[in-house]
Amino acid sequence: QHRPTAKILAVHCLGPSSLYSSQNQKQAIYYKTMSSETPKCIAVGLDLGSFMARVAVCTDTNTSTPPSVVSNAQGHRSTPALVTTEQEEGEGDSKNAPSYVFGDAALRVLQKRKKDKKLHQYTIQHLVNLLADANENDEDEEIKKVAESSKNAASAFFAQLCTMASDSSAVAPENLRIVLSVPTVIHDDDQNELDAAHVDAWVETVQQGWKSLCPKTKSNKKKQAVVGILTDAAAVCVAHGITDLTNKHQKQYKHVLVVDWGASGLTLTQFQSCGSSGMLQQTSSQRDTSLKASVFVETLAKHVASQFERKNKFPSGEVFENSKARVKLISACETALKTMSNSNNANAPVHVTVDGLYEGVDCHIPISRPRWDMLTSRLLKKAQSTFESLAFKGDTVLISGSVVSMPSAKQIVNKAFDDSYYRGLSTIPPEEAVAMGCARQGAQVLELLEDHPQVNIGTISKSPICPKLSLSPISLGLGSLKEGECSSNGSNASILTVLIDKGTPLPAHITHVFEANSSEQYGLYQTSPNEKLVAKLEELPETGTVELLVELSTSGALSISLQGGPLVRIGA
């Protein structure tokens, strides 16, 4: 498909006679006109949700420039993560390559299918999961065949997303550098982690889709499009600048909670700051799949179906049991909930409208805000109890997801976490936070490559979330006693400064300089969970500055050094 921007530029530069001579020449014109003399890479963030996908681009490596979310051909800022063929299975010419349709077009094709299949079977997440399972079990030929078909379909979808990013930023596809956010698995130890096999499958399909758009040159074969992989919660932290060391509020972010309430359910992820590095460590994660977005949509769809049946005297349950009517109704309810979330008037009613819903009869059912609150009261009470039972003692709460944008859900979150918490940047829409965070992370990677061109992309950390670390179980501080006072447990000591906080990632290496006073005795004290003297600092100069070095290893070994001298193991 010829790109309009390239066409206009080519007419001016080369003349209309050379536009349509061959497909290769069209590509050459496109790359010559859309790319500058020195190709500049741009960062692309892909939010690959359970059912929807979003694309964000950051055209400037200056991370202060906010990313922009790309609209698709229908003008929507989100695209259904669906892909299918124009013909049903078993139809068409098997010798030719299948013709894929994506997003809203795929949804319309599936609505017309005679065979009743669930939409889940056509989602990108399902196709990539098939590929990941096949990579782990590569002996079965039938599984290999299904995996190859799934890979081709998914990569075609990613090629479409890359085309959207390329067209919106006027940059050739080979100059796109992508950061992904992919679905995660929560294990028994409350860790929200990326599964290695599935990550490889995601990267493999994105890379194949990206390469299908690039000129087949030796340099492009060696290029790696994917420069980072994030979890959804990590991407939200990046979007709000939590990991940005240049952010003036950086010191406030010690404990962060990310409330991700979307298609996969209600996920609560807690992070802890790793100090001045700007890194975060994930401490816990929990997910309730019974509160996912599809449950809210289905609740509304069943209510609208019952009202439609009562109004038109159809048998109870007949409309929702019809596969075509159900798909149409669910799509209309999703649109109605988006309208409710984006409305400036939270109490304004929304209308669910479907032309020819069942047996040629049109559907037009108004839904008021009190009615919606009543329908979802059970779900909202369950979410409220989840927030109340959460043991979170932090300073920052960030939100993301499509459900949390609904007025009633937003009200519950605001009630659970008041204004005393830092709530992030108001310019980041909750449903677009993940895509914008991925794009911002990509811009940070490109900025690093500009400053250090010798760095290999493969050596760059894929996430601002550090691996599981050992944390300090105690707090240590420098304390003083007046001459003549005695304290073995530290109760009478005056703590001058805390050197190592409880929960600090280990190993810790702290250097502190203080002014000594001959009338005081100095020591290293444990300040929590209980107070006690750990070590006395003797033979200090009567006056002047003292340099104290404190090291705490991952095994809990404590060592100190004075005035640049050798380290002395405490308790050895």
Side-chain angles (χ1 to χ4, degrees):
Q1 182 179 357
H2 196 59
R3 297 170 174 81
T5 306
K7 177 180 177 182
I8 295 171
L9 292 174
V11 168
H12 177 72
C13 298
L14 301 177
S17 60
S18 60
L19 275 178
Y20 304 101
S21 57
S22 68
Q23 180 65 26
N24 292 335
Q25 191 167 359
K26 282 195 290 181
Q27 289 184 352
I29 294 171
Y30 171 69
Y31 293 123
K32 182 174 181 180
T33 56
M34 300 291 276
S35 302
S36 59
E37 294 181 1
T38 303
K40 179 183 178 181
C41 295
I42 67 165
V44 178
L46 297 185
D47 173 15
L48 307 173
S50 301
F51 187 74
M52 303 297 289
R54 291 178 175 84
V55 182
V57 297
C58 198
T59 57
D60 194 346
T61 55
N62 182 3
T63 54
S64 63
T65 303
S68 58
V69 178
V70 179
S71 300
N72 58 20
Q74 289 74 35
H76 302 151
R77 293 163 70 93
S78 60
T79 302
L82 295 171
V83 58
T84 185
T85 56
E86 293 182 350
Q87 295 87 17
E88 291 195 53
E89 296 179 4
E91 296 181 0
D93 188 358
S94 59
K95 295 182 181 180
N96 297 327
S99 178
Y100 295 109
V101 289
F102 317 97
D104 295 306
L107 187 60
R108 289 192 296 269
V109 169
L110 293 173
Q111 290 174 355
K112 298 177 182 178
R113 290 277 170 89
K114 297 178 182 178
K115 296 181 180 179
D116 184 16
K117 287 191 175 182
K118 296 182 179 180
L119 289 178
H120 171 72
Q121 298 180 3
Y122 299 94
T123 62
I124 299 301
Q125 182 177 348
H126 178 71
L127 298 177
V128 174
N129 288 343
L130 291 177
L131 176 60
D133 295 339
N135 290 339
E136 293 181 338
N137 182 18
D138 55 358
E139 297 180 357
D140 194 325
E141 292 298 328
E142 187 63 28
I143 292 179
K144 281 185 178 181
K145 186 178 179 180
V146 173
E148 187 64 25
S149 175
S150 301
K151 180 180 177 181
N152 292 335
S155 62
F157 176 77
F158 291 127
Q160 185 79 358
L161 297 185
C162 290
T163 301
M164 289 168 52
S166 176
D167 289 346
S168 67
S169 55
V171 172
E174 70 259 30
N175 295 325
L176 302 179
R177 296 297 177 265
I178 302 168
V179 173
L180 304 175
S181 174
V182 299
T184 55
V185 178
I186 296 182
H187 299 286
D188 295 335
D189 58 354
D190 293 338
Q191 290 300 310
N192 191 354
E193 297 180 353
L194 297 170
D195 182 78
H198 288 76
V199 167
D200 292 341
W202 283 102
V203 174
E204 185 180 350
T205 51
V206 172
Q207 186 74 10
Q208 178 173 314
W210 172 78
K211 281 189 174 180
S212 67
L213 301 174
C214 301
K216 295 176 173 56
T217 61
K218 291 183 180 180
S219 60
N220 285 338
K221 287 182 180 180
K222 297 178 181 180
K223 286 181 181 178
Q224 181 71 24
V226 180
V227 297
I229 301 169
L230 301 178
T231 63
D232 287 351
V236 173
C237 291
V238 176
H240 288 278
I242 302 299
T243 60
D244 186 0
L245 293 177
T246 62
N247 195 313
K248 62 180 181 180
H249 298 293
Q250 177 64 31
K251 293 183 180 179
Q252 300 178 6
Y253 308 146
K254 293 184 178 179
H255 301 277
V256 182
L257 172 67
V258 177
V259 180
D260 182 14
W261 198 352
S264 58
L266 175 60
T267 306
L268 305 176
T269 308
Q270 297 189 43
F271 295 100
Q272 181 171 305
S273 173
C274 295
S276 59
S277 64
M279 302 283 282
L280 298 173
Q281 179 180 357
Q282 181 179 303
T283 56
S284 68
S285 186
Q286 63 185 81
R287 177 178 295 165
D288 189 345
T289 56
S290 66
L291 296 173
K292 56 187 177 181
S294 60
V295 177
F296 287 84
V297 174
E298 189 170 327
T299 299
L300 178 59
K302 287 182 177 179
H303 171 73
V304 172
S306 65
Q307 294 296 311
F308 176 78
E309 290 166 348
R310 182 183 303 176
K311 181 178 179 180
N312 296 282
K313 298 181 180 180
F314 288 117
S316 177
E318 186 174 275
V319 174
F320 204 74
E321 289 177 359
N322 183 277
S323 59
K324 288 187 177 180
R326 183 172 64 249
V327 171
K328 289 181 180 180
L329 191 56
I330 287 177
S331 179
C333 289
E334 288 176 349
T335 303
L337 292 180
K338 288 180 183 178
T339 303
M340 180 187 296
S341 301
N342 297 328
S343 175
N344 294 326
N345 185 1
N347 296 321
V350 296
H351 296 82
V352 180
T353 303
V354 184
D355 294 334
L357 173 61
Y358 187 66
E359 293 187 359
V361 181
D362 297 338
C363 172
H364 185 79
I365 304 294
I367 303 295
S368 64
R369 171 69 186 277
R371 172 66 66 180
W372 169 247
D373 291 344
M374 186 196 72
L375 292 173
T376 58
S377 59
R378 179 184 62 83
L379 298 173
L380 296 176
K381 286 180 181 179
K382 186 174 183 181
Q384 185 174 1
S385 63
T386 301
F387 292 135
E388 292 174 352
S389 62
L390 180 66
F392 175 65
K393 297 180 180 179
D395 46 48
T396 305
V397 176
L398 308 176
I399 61 174
S400 67
S402 56
V403 177
V404 80
S405 300
M406 299 178 186
S408 50
K410 187 183 295 184
Q411 185 177 356
I412 288 179
V413 174
N414 292 337
K415 184 178 179 181
F417 307 103
D418 55 24
D419 294 337
S420 62
Y421 294 93
Y422 176 65
R423 299 297 296 271
L425 303 175
S426 59
T427 56
I428 305 294
E431 63 274 13
E432 298 175 354
V434 174
M436 297 178 74
C438 290
R440 188 180 292 273
Q441 175 71 5
Q444 292 173 359
V445 172
L446 293 179
E447 187 176 23
L448 172 64
L449 292 176
E450 282 186 357
D451 296 338
H452 306 279
Q454 73 279 5
V455 176
N456 187 351
I457 288 179
T459 64
I460 298 174
S461 175
K462 292 182 178 179
S463 172
I465 307 303
C466 24
K468 196 170 184 179
L469 303 176
S470 299
L471 304 178
S472 174
I474 62 173
S475 293
L476 293 173
L478 174 66
S480 67
L481 287 172
K482 296 295 183 181
E483 189 174 356
E485 294 180 346
C486 181
S487 176
S488 60
N489 59 3
S491 58
N492 297 331
S494 174
I495 303 300
L496 302 178
T497 183
V498 175
L499 300 175
I500 298 178
D501 274 322
K502 182 180 179 181
T504 299
L506 300 179
H509 181 99
I510 306 296
T511 300
H512 179 68
V513 178
F514 64 96
E515 294 289 334
N517 190 333
S518 58
S519 63
E520 295 184 353
Q521 297 177 352
Y522 296 92
L524 193 64
Y525 291 87
Q526 176 181 312
T527 59
S528 70
N530 49 33
E531 296 183 358
K532 68 177 182 179
L533 176 64
V534 177
K536 288 183 178 181
L537 305 181
E538 299 178 343
E539 299 182 2
L540 298 179
E542 293 184 0
T543 58
T545 60
V546 177
E547 181 180 321
L548 171 65
L549 172 64
V550 179
E551 286 191 357
L552 186 61
S553 67
T554 54
S555 61
L558 177 64
S559 302
I560 62 175
S561 169
L562 289 171
Q563 302 294 80
L567 284 169
V568 177
R569 176 83 174 269
I570 305 300

